[in-house]
């Protein structure tokens, strides 16, 4: 399986395909985090307190204008400055992202930790290094106040049960329904899958169900193929099933 690197905003809709695949990608689990305590007459005690944040990093090249038709190019050429501007925004604003490296287990929600760029060569290339860290989800549990009376409690429970039953019926009807969606200029299959299926990694489910429409649209726009759904075009009607 060929390796490709895709990065997509979790909410904003922007996405990119890394144009040149690096020779290696570094994954660092960063070991186990320990809390350190000084205990009288015992000495130092280390207690595990969970895993450290995982990190992902690589070095590669953003090809300049002089290499726009190079055989190593992945997807359509973009000005290196385009990547740098987006990376700066993602880093500075702490934008939640999704990082997918096909052919590897890397398929995670992340933040862009940092990047650096060297401007080199007559081709207008940017040599860069970039790093990402896991975006951990934080769950906060709240405790509901106790009911004042048993009657009130029973009424509340009955109402909650009725609402739950109604909600289950509504969800069941929704989940079994089929949706038709028309692609817009800012869409990606990853973003559409995230919106309708709750998981961007299911983009291939939408692609496989709409392969003919997606490929026909790509050919109408002068491409030999959609590159497995990487290129989708506004106005294409997709059928989406859960």
């Amino acid at each position: 399986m060929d390796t490709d690197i895709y990065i997509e905003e979790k909410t904003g809709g922007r996405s990119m395909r890394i144009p040149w695949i690096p020779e290696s990608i570094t994954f660092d689990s960063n070991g186990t985090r320990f809390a350190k305590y000084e205990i009288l007459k015992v000495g130092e005690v280390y207690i595990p307190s969970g895993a450290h944040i995982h990190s992902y990093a690589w070095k590669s090249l953003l090809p300049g204008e002089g290499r726009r038709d190079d055989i190593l190019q992945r997807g359509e050429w973009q000005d290196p400055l385009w990547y740098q501007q987006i990376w700066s925004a993602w880093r500075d604003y702490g934008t939640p992202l999704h990082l997918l490296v096909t052919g590897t287990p890397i398929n995670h929600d992340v933040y862009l930790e940092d990047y650096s760029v060297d401007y080199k060569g007559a081709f207008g290339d940017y040599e860069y290094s970039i790093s990402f860290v896991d975006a951990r989800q934080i769950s906060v549990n709240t405790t509901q106040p106790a009911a004042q009376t048993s009657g009130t409690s029973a009424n509340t429970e009955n109402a909650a049960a009725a609402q739950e039953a109604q909600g289950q019926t509504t969800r069941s009807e929704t989940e079994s329904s089929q949706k038709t969606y028309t692609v817009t200029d800012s869409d990606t299959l990853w973003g559409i899958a995230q919106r309708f299926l709750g998981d961007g990694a299911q983009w291939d489910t939408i692609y496989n169900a709409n392969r003919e429409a997606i490929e026909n649209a790509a050919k109408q726009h002068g491409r030999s193929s959609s590159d497995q759904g990487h290129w989708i075009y506004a106005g294409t009607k997709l059928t989406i099933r859960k």
Side-chain angles (χ1 to χ4, degrees), residues 19-69:
W20 278 32
I21 302 303
E23 293 184 1
S24 64
I25 299 173
T26 301
F27 165 72
D28 193 344
S29 68
N30 292 313
T32 300
R33 185 170 61 248
F34 287 86
K36 177 181 175 182
Y37 299 91
E38 291 281 351
I39 300 178
L40 187 64
K41 296 184 179 180
V42 175
E44 291 184 354
V45 176
Y46 291 85
I47 300 176
S49 58
H52 280 287
I53 297 293
H54 299 159
S55 60
Y56 316 86
W58 67 82
K59 296 179 180 179
S60 190
L61 183 77
L62 297 175
E65 176 76 21
R67 298 186 195 267
R68 63 183 306 154
D69 297 320

Side-chain angles (χ1 to χ4, degrees), residues 110-127:
V110 298
Y111 295 112
L112 197 161
E113 181 182 30
D114 204 0
Y115 77 94
S116 62
V117 170
D118 289 328
Y119 309 105
K120 289 193 174 183
F123 294 101
D125 300 334
Y126 288 21
E127 291 184 1

Side-chain angles (χ1 to χ4, degrees), residues 126-138:
Y126 288 21
E127 291 184 1
Y128 73 94
S129 60
I130 194 166
S131 61
F132 298 84
V133 294
D134 276 340
R136 294 283 177 86
Q137 298 297 318
I138 298 175

Side-chain angles (χ1 to χ4, degrees), residues 180-218:
T180 300
Y181 178 73
T182 302
V183 175
T184 66
D185 286 329
S186 61
D187 277 328
T188 63
L189 283 187
W190 186 283
I192 295 171
Q194 182 70 38
R195 188 185 318 166
F196 290 101
L197 304 182
D199 182 4
Q202 293 191 46
W203 63 269
D204 55 344
T205 300
I206 298 177
Y207 171 73
N208 290 330
N210 298 274
R211 184 192 303 266
E212 184 175 355
I214 292 171
E215 294 301 332
N216 286 341

Side-chain angles (χ1 to χ4, degrees), residues 144-163:
Q144 298 295 329
Q148 295 297 318
T149 66
S150 59
T152 302
S153 176
N155 291 337
T156 302
E157 291 175 359
N158 290 337
Q163 291 176 352

